[in-house]
Amino acid sequence: MQTTSRQSPPPLWRDPVIVFLLLVEALIATVVVLDASRMQTIVALPPTVVGTWKTNSPRYAGRALVIGARSVTFQTGSDVTDITSHVVRKFEQTEVKTGSLFKVEYVDGAVADATGIIQFIYREGPTPSLVLAHQLGIVWTRVTGGGLAGK
């Protein structure tokens, strides 16, 4: 009886095509994981700006700006049902001479893939306040207890 010796195939890691395909697969997996982790990042505004903010300006009587850790809600009329609420997508905080400038980007649910931006300066002190970047003359102060402003 004749014995034939079989040579075992070379290890897969020696085949350049296999090595290339494994590297491509690893790269794709890395991109997918990084993208998924970026999308799942929870954005939370700092507690210093979280709350319900009102102004004494007659132009905004009965209105409020409600900033949550992950949301921004605008009370646009004197009724508590006149609200638009948005999820915060990202924010930037920069220290400026007059306080902390916040640029908050939020998802605008009314239009697919649309975003809105609100910019305000937060001022610390005995009575913390906000000033919207486009309305520097109107000061908003935090209302104790939270919630939307009533009629």
Side-chain angles (χ1 to χ4, degrees):
M1 179 174 216
Q2 191 178 30
T3 353
T4 52
S5 68
R6 288 180 136 181
Q7 285 187 345
S8 57
L12 289 177
W13 58 269
R14 287 194 176 177
D15 185 345
V17 173
I18 298 295
V19 170
F20 175 76
L21 291 175
L22 288 173
L23 287 173
V24 168
E25 186 177 320
L27 179 63
I28 291 170
T30 302
V31 169
V32 168
V33 167
L34 289 176
D35 191 49
S37 67
R38 181 181 59 84
M39 294 303 289
Q40 293 176 4
T41 300
I42 296 174
V43 175
L45 291 165
T48 52
V49 298
V50 171
T52 300
W53 301 84
K54 290 181 68 175
T55 181
N56 291 329
S57 171
R59 183 174 170 196
Y60 296 97
R63 297 182 186 194
L65 168 62
V66 181
I67 300 174
R70 296 175 183 88
S71 65
V72 177
T73 302
F74 303 97
Q75 185 176 3
T76 56
S78 59
D79 191 3
V80 292
T81 59
D82 297 329
I83 62 169
T84 57
S85 192
H86 310 280
V87 175
V88 173
R89 183 172 177 195
K90 64 182 179 178
F91 76 94
E92 296 172 12
Q93 179 180 356
T94 308
E95 295 305 314
V96 294
K97 193 186 271 188
T98 56
S100 297
L101 174 64
F102 283 83
K103 180 179 179 182
V104 180
E105 182 178 315
Y106 55 85
V107 178
D108 186 351
V111 181
D113 297 326
T115 57
I117 294 176
I118 181 172
Q119 293 186 57
F120 59 85
I121 297 171
Y122 170 76
R123 299 182 199 159
E124 288 189 42
T127 306
S129 62
L130 297 180
V131 177
L132 300 179
H134 67 285
Q135 297 175 333
L136 296 175
I138 300 175
V139 178
W140 297 75
T141 54
R142 194 182 344 250
V143 178
T144 307
L148 296 172
K151 278 187 174 183

